[in-house]
Amino acid sequence: MAIERTFSIIKPDATHRNLTGAVNAKLEAAGLRIVAQKRIHMTRAQAEGFYAVHKERPFFGELTEFMSSAPVVVQVLEGEDAVAKNREVMGATNPEEAVPGTIRKEYALNIGENSVHGSDSLENAATEIAYFFKDEEIVG
Ligand code: CMP
């Protein structure tokens, strides 16, 4: 197993309900270290750029409107197998399908307002981290 870095977002539905600490507690309990973190309010253009891979999907408008509707917390998480570990602790995209104890099972409202985002591969993690963080902002 290797030490990896992955990218995470605590989404507007979670920040709005004051769940930043609750989500972070789950991440840390899973062995992930939050090595960078900032609260930002994304512009619509930033959200569209971040989710560009989904631009042909029917939910793209809804997704980017939601992600730019209120503050989010963007994070870099570090740990052994961080990409897979974060996806495990997040749970399935649709909270109805998520395993009990996962972040989405406990906190997500629906498939769109699903509390967290996490990179799906090491390659995408590097791209997504670079979209929001400069190297010097990741302090370990
Ligand atoms: P995320 O991990 O941020 O990556 C893309 C997001 O699109 C996903 O989480 C969901 O929040 C959202 N999404 C996926 N499917 C749907 C859907 N059918 N309707 C609305 N949003 C969706």
Side-chain angles (χ1 to χ4, degrees):
M1 289 203 287
I3 299 292
E4 295 174 351
R5 283 181 174 172
T6 191
F7 177 73
S8 163
I9 305 178
I10 304 177
K11 295 188 179 186
D13 67 281
T15 60
H16 179 68
R17 287 177 290 149
N18 233 7
L19 292 171
T20 299
V23 170
N24 281 348
K26 290 260 190 207
L27 298 173
E28 292 185 338
L32 292 162
R33 181 173 294 275
I34 302 162
V35 294
Q37 171 170 260
K38 56 189 173 186
R39 187 173 173 103
I40 61 167
H41 193 147
M42 274 193 226
T43 62
R44 186 74 181 259
Q46 246 179 325
E48 287 171 354
F50 180 76
Y51 281 115
V53 66
H54 294 306
K55 69 175 181 296
E56 304 304 333
R57 303 279 193 99
F59 56 81
F60 183 67
E62 190 185 323
L63 171 63
T64 55
E65 183 183 359
F66 169 60
M67 292 301 288
S68 57
S69 67
V72 300
V73 176
V74 290
Q75 306 176 304
V76 181
L77 309 178
E78 187 177 270
E80 288 214 342
D81 278 331
V83 172
K85 191 174 280 182
N86 184 41
R87 290 183 71 80
E88 195 180 313
V89 71
M90 285 195 307
T93 305
N94 184 348
E96 286 177 17
E97 292 163 13
V99 168
T102 59
I103 293 168
R104 284 168 168 163
K105 186 68 177 184
E106 291 204 9
Y107 303 124
L109 301 174
N110 53 59
I111 195 168
E113 297 169 301
N114 63 353
S115 301
V116 282
H117 164 83
S119 308
D120 62 3
S121 68
L122 203 49
E123 190 187 359
N124 285 341
T127 306
E128 293 178 357
I129 289 169
Y131 194 81
F132 287 104
F133 289 95
K134 298 181 187 135
D135 279 350
E136 62 266 30
E137 290 179 304
I138 306 170
V139 294

